[in-house]
């Protein structure tokens, strides 16, 4: 996974796919995953602009079968700007959770459950 000294536009579907979620849902999903105990994989926060977003890096192929309202799966033909390794705080694009190893990614099932729960909490639905 390329992480250099400058932000880099990286193709999804090569090293990882990505799941994009609104920032508030993404932050809550991270907290929910951490409450369950498994480590949170790499997550990028793009806090700038009208719609702040979080990108969760997942194994390649997840985008082809991902379905969750309010999120967007990014696979082949998509790109994500990856922040430089030392950019771990805002403002702007930064790592919300750094990768802990070269092949460490978010577990799709746990991520999906956390995003569903976070969205339902925000909507006030069970």
């Amino acid at each position: 996974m390329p992480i250099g000294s400058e932000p880099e536009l990286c193709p999804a579907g090569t090293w990882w796919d990505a799941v994009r979620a609104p920032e508030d849902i993404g932050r809550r999903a991270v907290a929910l995953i951490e409450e369950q105990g498994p480590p949170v994989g790499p997550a990028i926060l793009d806090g700038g602009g009208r719609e702040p977003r979080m990108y969760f890096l997942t194994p390649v192929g997840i985008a082809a079968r991902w379905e969750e309202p309010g999120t967007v799966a990014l696979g082949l033909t998509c790109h994500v700007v990856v922040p430089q390794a030392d950019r771990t705080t805002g403002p702007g694009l930064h790592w919300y959770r750094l990768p802990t190893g070269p092949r460490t990614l978010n577990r799709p099932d746990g991520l999906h459950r956390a995003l569903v729960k976070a969205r339902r909490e925000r909507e006030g639905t069970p």
Side-chain angles (χ1 to χ4, degrees):
M1 175 183 324
I3 301 176
S5 58
E6 297 292 327
E8 185 174 344
L9 183 64
C10 294
T14 302
W15 297 282
W16 37 258
D17 284 356
V19 173
R20 185 178 72 206
E23 178 186 6
D24 61 332
I25 290 176
R27 284 180 184 269
R28 180 62 181 138
V30 167
L32 291 167
I33 293 168
E34 289 175 335
E35 287 172 12
Q36 297 299 314
V40 177
I44 298 167
L45 180 58
D46 186 359
R50 293 187 335 242
E51 297 178 25
R53 301 171 179 180
M54 189 171 292
Y55 296 83
F56 293 91
L57 304 187
T58 64
V60 171
I62 295 303
R65 62 181 191 266
W66 184 265
E67 292 184 26
E68 173 53 27
T71 66
V72 177
L74 306 168
L76 290 173
T77 75
C78 298
H79 290 77
V80 175
V81 178
V82 174
Q84 61 266 35
D86 63 352
R87 184 88 168 140
T88 57
T89 60
L93 183 73
H94 65 279
W95 286 103
Y96 192 70
R97 291 291 184 272
L98 276 166
T100 57
R103 299 191 197 288
T104 304
L105 298 169
N106 286 285
R107 297 175 182 162
D109 293 340
L111 175 62
H112 187 262
R113 282 191 301 276
L115 288 169
V116 167
K117 186 171 183 177
R119 176 181 53 83
R120 288 181 177 164
E121 286 177 2
R122 184 173 84 170
E123 294 171 350
T125 58

